[in-house]
Amino acid sequence: MDSLIAASARALAAGDALGALKRVALRDDPPALALRGIAMAQLGEHPRARELLRRAARGFGAHEEHSRARCIVAEAEVALAMRDLGGSPRSLSAAASALEAHEDHANALQARLIAARRLLLLGRLAEAEAALAHLDARGLPPSLAAVTELAAAELALRSLRIAPARAALSRAHEAATRARVPALLAEVNEALAAFERPAARRIDAAGEQPLRLDEVAALLASDTLVVDACRRGLGAGDAWRPLARRPVLFSLARSLAQAWPGDVDREALIESAFRTRRPDETHRARLRVEIGRLRALVAGLAGIEATPRGFVLRPLDGRGVAVLAPPIDGDQASLVALLSDGAAWSTSALALALGASQRTVQRALVELEAEHRVRSIGKARAQKWLSPPLAGFTTILLLPAALPIE
């Protein structure tokens, strides 16, 4: 490694992308291309960074497996920043194995960390937890240790494990401070701010009130019967009844919970559950059937009784009742939450993260664009979508698979 390459690498490690470029900007040998690619990535020029890293990997070739593997890992990190989640993880796994074989443990861990962060973005929390459990961050450079703890904190936050999340973020802040990389420290501080922002709304007979993440966790751990509009189900303590695939039953449960301790008029229940303002006898018959199904599903937690004008929820064992609603309403709430991180997402990546079809996502994006809530950049296959960050509250509970359903 010549002196210019070494100086450029040291500048990149300190977060000085411009200083690194000054030393290798006019060089086209593979090591210089790799450093230029990383510098461009730090400056936010992700497409150019990806092109440079691919050129560097081709330049190293199969005879320089170690350097080529490092380029593949760097390109995977750029793809993650670009929210390009559709690629196969096999090349990244092979690169990690090659780095381990050359005893480059820090970069091998970086590769596995990128794979775990990809799983987090896709909402595959159980797989992400398994991946993070195998990572050993001891003896790592401070910057890499900080990123490792950030990933652990995000997993804990999205599972509503507040104490482990705080501990991980404290370790991340300490490591980021030692690393002296401003962008990394800013990311840790942004994650810490999520604890103080409203994460959801509690709706009950007393009205509506915002809840922070720790208050949400306390509510879900209590004996209160909670109709959870964030993960579509209801439960009390350890008991949980999923309703994500039964929208009619969930709508009825939410209406009854919001009116508790009062009852709900039959026509109001029909309107909310069946989307009609002109009910007839068929709707009333269907309402009786669906109420019977809901009554069977909530047995052991609550009863549902008929009243002269409708139905009323009767929780067992003197429980209270509350509705846990997202901080923002609407069918596109999860889509807005993904876009609110400030990154530019492709339609295919959004569909992959949400578990929806690209056509469904495209229709939702068109509606949001008409309301000026998102905007697009680029055209055709290069088109990406983004929205302003939702700085007023955290979107943890709106993200896919934010809470376990079992």
Side-chain angles (χ1 to χ4, degrees):
M1 181 181 295
D2 61 51
S3 60
L4 285 177
I5 293 293
S8 179
R10 285 194 297 269
L12 282 177
D16 182 10
L18 292 176
L21 280 176
K22 287 178 183 178
R23 293 169 172 83
V24 294
L26 300 180
R27 293 177 53 167
D28 284 329
D29 53 300
L33 287 173
L35 291 171
R36 285 168 58 193
I38 296 170
M40 296 302 288
Q42 289 188 4
L43 293 171
E45 297 292 334
H46 297 131
R48 178 61 175 157
R50 202 171 190 181
E51 177 189 347
L52 289 166
L53 289 166
R54 286 176 174 173
R55 286 175 58 190
R58 290 194 298 269
F60 284 121
H63 61 288
E64 295 177 278
E65 185 184 44
H66 184 199
S67 297
R68 185 169 180 270
R70 295 173 73 174
C71 289
I72 291 172
V73 172
E75 184 191 341
E77 187 165 19
V78 172
L80 190 71
M82 294 174 66
R83 299 301 187 259
D84 183 357
L85 309 178
S88 171
R90 292 181 180 176
S91 60
L92 184 60
S93 178
S97 299
L99 292 168
E100 287 283 7
H102 286 84
E103 298 187 352
D104 188 350
H105 302 300
N107 282 308
L109 186 140
Q110 173 80 330
R112 303 194 190 284
L113 188 57
I114 291 168
R117 291 166 62 198
R118 178 180 179 272
L119 292 170
L120 281 173
L121 279 176
L122 292 174
R124 291 155 62 176
L125 303 188
E127 294 176 55
E129 184 171 16
L132 288 172
H134 291 90
L135 301 184
D136 184 3
R138 291 175 297 180
L140 291 177
S143 58
L144 194 53
V147 175
T148 304
E149 296 295 351
L150 270 172
E154 182 179 354
L155 175 64
L157 276 176
R158 293 183 63 181
S159 303
L160 278 188
R161 301 196 301 267
I162 304 302
R166 286 188 183 276
L169 284 176
S170 178
R171 294 190 296 268
H173 189 273
E174 180 184 353
T177 301
R178 286 189 284 114
R180 297 181 181 178
V181 178
L184 186 57
L185 191 57
E187 186 175 354
V188 175
N189 289 332
E190 176 63 22
L192 284 167
F195 288 106
E196 305 305 322
R197 296 174 182 160
R201 294 172 295 140
R202 174 175 177 159
I203 305 173
D204 55 22
E208 179 179 313
Q209 67 179 104
L211 299 179
R212 298 190 305 272
L213 281 170
D214 55 346
E215 294 171 328
V216 171
L219 175 63
L220 293 174
S222 72
D223 200 39
T224 303
L225 179 62
V226 179
V227 176
D228 189 341
C230 300
R231 54 175 179 166
R232 295 299 180 105
L234 59 88
D238 294 332
W240 173 249
R241 307 287 190 270
L243 291 172
R245 298 180 182 275
R246 307 180 77 173
V248 171
L249 296 190
F250 174 76
S251 177
L252 292 173
R254 178 169 180 170
S255 297
L256 291 169
Q258 288 187 189
W260 181 86
D263 61 353
V264 185
D265 180 82
R266 287 177 176 82
E267 292 193 1
L269 288 172
I270 289 171
E271 181 179 345
S272 66
F274 307 140
R275 309 298 186 193
T276 180
R277 295 184 179 180
R278 297 181 179 179
D280 55 27
E281 287 305 317
T282 62
H283 293 110
R284 294 184 181 91
R286 185 182 174 193
L287 176 64
R288 291 192 293 272
V289 171
E290 299 295 348
I291 287 290
R293 290 172 176 165
L294 182 61
R295 185 181 285 123
L297 187 138
V298 302
L301 297 176
I304 300 176
E305 299 177 3
T307 66
R309 74 185 199 107
F311 294 92
V312 64
L313 187 65
R314 301 289 190 201
L316 303 180
D317 302 325
R319 292 187 176 98
V321 176
V323 174
L324 185 67
I328 56 176
D329 284 318
D331 295 334
Q332 300 99 350
S334 293
L335 182 57
V336 173
L338 286 171
L339 292 171
S340 69
D341 64 359
W345 288 70
S346 66
T347 305
S348 59
L350 288 168
L352 193 60
L354 292 171
S357 68
Q358 286 197 49
R359 180 70 67 182
T360 299
V361 171
Q362 287 168 348
R363 284 197 297 266
L365 288 169
V366 169
E367 294 175 8
L368 290 170
E369 187 176 32
E371 299 170 5
H372 305 289
R373 296 172 64 187
V374 302
R375 63 186 178 92
S376 64
I377 54 176
K379 297 292 183 181
R381 292 176 64 87
Q383 187 178 35
K384 298 291 184 70
W385 296 86
L386 67 162
S387 73
L390 301 175
F393 50 82
T394 179
T395 56
I396 289 293
L397 297 184
L398 293 173
L399 295 173
L403 292 169
I405 60 174
E406 295 296 340

